[in-house]
Amino acid sequence: MALIYPVLADAPEPEEGTAPDVAELASDLSDQWLVEVAVGEDGDDACFGPLASGMAWDLAVELNDKRPDWTVSVVPLYVAEPADQIIALFEED
């Protein structure tokens, strides 16, 4: 299905086939991350973590490679910002 992960609004477009800069995501959003997996529409979902940003990314990519029909999301575990500041990270003016 999909590999879903946050992307900052002002981040440059990555080159084809390159991974996001997980160090930047860790410093901007959270040191600890979760990998969420949705297997199907029957509610077979799981969440793994907390993991360091690089470990979460590696796990998500491996799961996505082995089971492309699953939806795999990499999400920050903790963000100490108000909602408006979080939204501003992802939306351009």
Side-chain angles (χ1 to χ4, degrees):
M1 288 185 166
L3 174 60
I4 302 167
Y5 58 92
V7 177
L8 299 174
D10 61 352
E13 196 66 33
E15 292 186 29
E16 186 69 28
T18 60
D21 182 357
V22 292
E24 181 178 330
L25 292 176
S27 67
D28 288 338
L29 294 176
S30 178
D31 292 335
Q32 297 185 351
W33 291 71
L34 298 176
V35 175
E36 297 177 343
V37 179
V39 176
E41 296 178 10
D42 298 333
D44 294 331
D45 299 341
C47 187
F48 304 98
L51 300 167
S53 57
M55 292 174 65
W57 176 255
D58 291 344
L59 176 60
V61 168
E62 186 174 0
L63 287 169
N64 188 63
D65 288 346
K66 293 182 178 191
R67 295 294 185 271
D69 54 322
W70 294 358
T71 300
V72 180
S73 303
V74 182
V75 295
L77 177 63
Y78 175 75
V79 178
E81 302 290 339
D84 289 338
Q85 289 181 344
I86 294 168
I87 292 167
L89 290 171
F90 298 98
E91 291 183 349
E92 296 183 48
D93 293 332

